[in-house]
Amino acid sequence: MAENIFPYELPKNWQWSTLGDVCSLSQGEKLSAKKLPYFNVKYLRGTNEKNFVEFGNYVEEGSKLILVDGENSGEIFTVKENGYMGSTLRELKIFEAVDADFFQYFVSTKKELYRQNKRGSAIPHLNKNLFYSTPIPLPPIDEQKRIVAVIESLFEKLDAAKSIVQKIIDGYELRRAAILHKAFTGELTKNFRAEHGLTLDDWQEKTLGEVCQINPPKISTQNLSDDLDVSFFPMASLSEVEGKITKPHIKKLGDVKHGYTNFSEGDVVLAKITPCMENGKSAVIEKLVNGIGYGTTEFFVLRCSKSILNKFLYHLIRGKKFRVEAKAVMAGAVGQLRVPKNFLTNYEMTLPPINEQKEIVRVLNSLLEKEERTKEFAEKILSEIDLLKRTILACAFRGNYSQSSIMNCSRGKM
């Protein structure tokens, strides 16, 4: 191999080789009349139940299998028992001069290279020429084992931290639902009621149809120019993550005044169609161009009376409880299920006085904002953990695998 293809200089006792020089791909040994687990990708990732077959390409416990077909071609798995290998996999026969785990960690750093250079269109598969020609840095076998031990020790600590952070993210919806439940049952504002001489008896049983207009009449455009700029919101404009309009459009009134839903500033909009409704697509309409807005007919428009605050209503309909109940009554063709208007009209709620609604909205905004910041911070930590893992591997395969070397490597001091 020509020297100029080597990516970087190695420590003195290391040498460059290629994957093709140190491994080969095997279809395994044909075996039958023995019932064993069948290894496909889902099983190897632990996402489906064990399936047994009585014949196939046999591989032993501890074997390394590489995925050769599909979007994730180049991914390597270690099998934990004897079994039969699926057709999209090959067994890696790794030569004795290379530690199998060292090999697997190194190949994992090349997964994007293999994904971007797959062969075939209908069923993309691993570019074997590229795979075999990939340069691999090789220290002596004892040092390979030491490197693997360091990697696994560091990864174990990072995985433990990742598990804690993931639990925080996974619990976000439950914590949010609990906060909303406390808000709409009065628990969040019990001190407020005590301070202001109020009780839960001041809350009134109402339906949405009693406290707001559902799909109010369109504004009159008779005296308005068709060339007037107005706000326009397709479904994609509404972010289910942020719960607001994030991608507003501007259109001419003449292009949208017929065949679209009309709304005004302060209205609350709610997606009526699956899966947008279930995902929480709802928002309070804020500033509109020339005070006029139009959007997809898949929005319900809720215009609040003086007895209910729009932001109180927004938190109610964006809550998990409301969305679950709305989903249960959706009707229509598969893929086109919609919430019927009479569900909203007849939706029962216990409505506090306006001053307590204001307090509920204030407390909710504060608590939910904190939860959102916590979730965003946790997601940032997850991405940083993944980045740190990639940094550890990059350092290790340059010979910088002590903790101090990795820290310097991560700061760009290689």
Side-chain angles (χ1 to χ4, degrees):
M1 179 184 294
E3 188 174 348
N4 62 5
I5 74 163
F6 298 143
Y8 47 83
E9 186 176 351
L10 296 176
K12 291 182 180 179
N13 61 335
W14 292 35
Q15 65 179 7
W16 282 107
S17 188
T18 65
L19 298 185
D21 291 332
V22 298
C23 82
S24 63
L25 303 185
S26 168
Q27 291 187 341
E29 175 190 356
K30 285 286 186 183
L31 192 66
S32 61
K34 189 173 184 180
K35 197 171 186 179
L36 291 170
Y38 178 76
F39 301 133
N40 56 23
V41 174
K42 287 185 177 180
Y43 173 73
L44 292 170
R45 288 182 180 149
T47 56
N48 73 336
E49 296 181 1
K50 190 177 294 186
N51 183 26
F52 287 88
V53 295
E54 295 184 355
F55 61 90
N57 296 318
Y58 176 75
V59 288
E60 294 184 341
E61 175 186 354
S63 297
K64 302 286 186 184
L65 305 185
I66 184 169
L67 182 62
V68 294
D69 288 329
E71 287 300 317
N72 294 310
S73 294
E75 187 175 359
I76 296 176
F77 306 91
T78 304
V79 297
K80 299 179 181 179
E81 56 192 317
N82 298 341
Y84 297 116
M85 178 173 55
S87 61
T88 62
L89 298 156
R90 294 291 182 273
E91 182 181 5
L92 275 166
K93 297 291 188 180
I94 302 169
F95 300 169
E96 291 183 0
V98 181
D99 179 84
D101 292 326
F102 180 92
F103 182 97
Q104 181 171 352
Y105 279 122
F106 175 77
V107 172
S108 73
T109 68
K110 304 296 179 183
K111 60 184 179 181
E112 287 304 317
L113 174 67
Y114 300 142
R115 284 177 184 170
Q116 294 171 10
N117 292 276
K118 296 186 293 291
R119 293 287 177 85
S121 54
I123 303 178
H125 54 268
L126 179 68
N127 184 333
K128 292 181 182 178
N129 289 335
L130 176 63
F131 176 79
Y132 281 132
S133 64
T134 303
I136 179 172
L138 290 178
I141 187 70
D142 289 343
E143 190 169 358
Q144 292 178 38
K145 295 180 182 297
R146 288 197 297 273
I147 290 171
V148 168
V150 171
I151 291 172
E152 290 183 342
S153 174
L154 292 172
F155 277 22
E156 183 179 0
K157 294 180 175 69
L158 290 175
D159 287 340
K162 188 173 183 177
S163 177
I164 294 171
V165 174
Q166 189 62 55
K167 287 179 181 177
I168 294 173
I169 295 172
D170 292 343
Y172 168 77
E173 285 294 343
L174 286 176
R175 293 192 302 273
R176 191 173 186 279
I179 291 169
L180 290 170
H181 175 74
K182 290 180 179 180
F184 297 118
T185 57
E187 188 175 345
L188 272 190
T189 45
K190 59 183 179 181
N191 292 336
F192 175 86
R193 287 194 301 278
E195 292 169 1
H196 292 78
L198 299 170
T199 70
L200 285 176
D201 291 337
D202 295 302
W203 290 39
Q204 297 181 346
E205 297 294 330
K206 297 287 184 180
T207 64
L208 274 182
E210 291 176 313
V211 297
C212 65
Q213 284 183 282
I214 300 169
N215 294 340
K218 291 184 178 182
I219 62 169
S220 173
T221 58
Q222 186 175 356
N223 298 320
L224 298 176
S225 169
D226 282 351
D227 289 329
L228 183 70
D229 286 336
V230 298
S231 295
F232 182 78
F233 306 140
M235 187 65 75
S237 291
L238 206 169
S239 168
E240 65 264 25
V241 176
E242 299 181 50
K244 61 182 181 181
I245 303 294
T246 56
K247 299 176 182 178
H249 296 193
I250 297 176
K251 291 198 173 187
K252 298 300 181 183
L253 176 61
D255 295 331
V256 297
K257 66 182 182 180
H258 299 297
Y260 291 99
T261 299
N262 171 236
F263 35 76
S264 301
E265 293 173 4
D267 287 345
V268 179
V269 294
L270 165 70
K272 65 175 76 167
I273 193 168
T274 188
C276 301
M277 187 284 297
E278 298 98 303
N279 292 340
K281 275 186 177 278
S282 50
V284 176
I285 298 299
E286 297 180 345
K287 187 69 176 176
L288 297 171
V289 176
N290 290 312
I292 301 172
Y294 286 86
T296 171
T297 57
E298 298 296 352
F299 283 150
F300 279 123
V301 179
L302 308 177
R303 186 163 296 164
C304 295
S305 68
K306 292 181 179 180
S307 63
I308 184 169
L309 295 176
N310 57 2
K311 291 185 178 178
F312 180 88
L313 176 60
Y314 162 77
H315 283 301
L316 176 70
I317 66 172
R318 190 163 155 78
K320 186 74 171 179
K321 178 178 180 294
F322 178 91
R323 286 184 282 144
V324 168
E325 292 174 3
K327 181 180 179 180
V329 299
M330 294 180 93
V334 175
Q336 295 290 312
L337 294 171
R338 293 176 175 84
V339 177
K341 181 181 176 182
N342 64 5
F343 168 79
L344 296 180
T345 303
N346 299 318
Y347 189 81
E348 296 178 347
M349 57 189 295
T350 308
L351 191 65
I354 282 290
N355 59 342
E356 189 169 354
Q357 289 182 44
K358 290 179 180 178
E359 178 64 8
I360 289 172
V361 168
R362 185 191 69 79
V363 176
L364 276 179
N365 287 343
S366 175
L367 292 177
L368 295 178
E369 184 180 342
K370 288 178 182 177
E371 282 296 331
E372 190 62 38
R373 287 202 303 267
T374 299
K375 178 171 172 279
E376 289 174 357
F377 183 66
E379 289 171 342
K380 182 180 179 182
I381 291 175
L382 281 188
S383 65
E384 289 178 351
I385 287 174
D386 290 338
L387 177 60
L388 185 53
K389 280 189 170 185
R390 292 194 295 272
T391 300
I392 288 169
L393 292 174
C395 293
F397 294 115
R398 289 173 178 262
N400 302 316
Y401 56 90
S402 68
Q403 185 166 343
S404 60
S405 295
I406 288 172
M407 292 303 293
N408 289 334
C409 179
S410 65
R411 297 188 186 105
K413 298 180 179 180
M414 292 171 49

